């Protein structure tokens, strides 16, 4: 994103300095936040987000927390309409042994496996 030229220049410089020996690390929380910013502020579709991150995950200069989990998000049923953060919240809860994740979000309850509307 180039909406802030100063930040863009610093990000470019940072990533140019990464290598397989000194990679950048992207936690799951950073991944989710970045997806949210891309979708809500820049109106980037989930498909484009998946293409971008799939390419980044192939890089030796960037290490992702749980890349297999992130890749599984991109192949989830209904991915195009999912809110990625809702999906991650429900998946982490399921992994922790929860049977359901409750939400007040009607769309999330309909679209996200493991989410249930708290009405």
């Amino acid at each position: 994103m180039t909406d802030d030229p100063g930040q863009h220049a610093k990000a470019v410089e940072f990533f140019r300095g990464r290598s397989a020996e000194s990679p950048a690390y992207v936690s799951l929380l950073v991944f989710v936040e970045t997806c949210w910013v891309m979708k809500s502020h820049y109106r980037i579709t989930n498909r484009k987000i998946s293409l971008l991150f799939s390419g980044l995950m192939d890089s030796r200069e960037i290490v992702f927390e749980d890349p297999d989990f992130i890749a599984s998000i991109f192949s989830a049923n209904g991915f195009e309409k999912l809110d990625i953060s809702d999906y991650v919240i429900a998946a982490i809860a399921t992994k922790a042994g929860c049977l359901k994740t409750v939400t007040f979000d009607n769309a999330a309850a309909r679209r996200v496996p493991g989410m249930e509307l708290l009405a």
Side-chain angles (χ1 to χ4, degrees):
M1 310 304 159
T2 58
D3 56 332
D4 184 319
Q7 285 184 352
H8 180 260
K10 288 177 184 178
V12 168
E13 181 181 340
F14 172 79
F15 282 103
R16 282 192 180 143
R18 305 291 47 90
S19 67
E21 296 76 31
S22 179
Y25 178 76
V26 179
S27 70
L28 199 50
L29 291 173
V30 168
F31 163 75
V32 169
E33 176 72 9
T34 302
C35 291
W36 180 82
V37 168
M38 292 171 75
K39 193 164 187 168
S40 64
H41 291 285
Y42 297 103
R43 306 289 184 235
I44 297 173
T45 66
N46 279 0
R47 175 159 166 61
K48 288 183 181 178
I49 289 170
S50 73
L51 292 172
L52 171 75
F53 277 103
S54 293
L56 291 173
M57 288 191 301
D58 288 338
S59 169
R60 294 176 47 211
E61 292 82 18
I62 303 174
V63 174
F64 283 82
E65 176 183 1
D66 206 347
D68 293 334
F69 173 63
I70 293 172
S72 76
I73 295 168
F74 302 146
S75 61
N77 284 340
F79 171 71
E80 281 299 319
K81 294 183 179 184
L82 285 179
D83 180 293
I84 293 170
S85 59
D86 289 336
Y87 185 89
V88 170
I89 289 166
I92 288 173
T94 298
K95 197 182 222 183
C98 296
L99 299 177
K100 293 285 180 186
T101 299
V102 295
T103 182
F104 290 112
D105 184 335
N106 285 314
R110 282 192 318 272
R111 295 181 179 148
V112 178
M115 280 213 164
E116 182 176 282
L117 188 63
L118 183 61

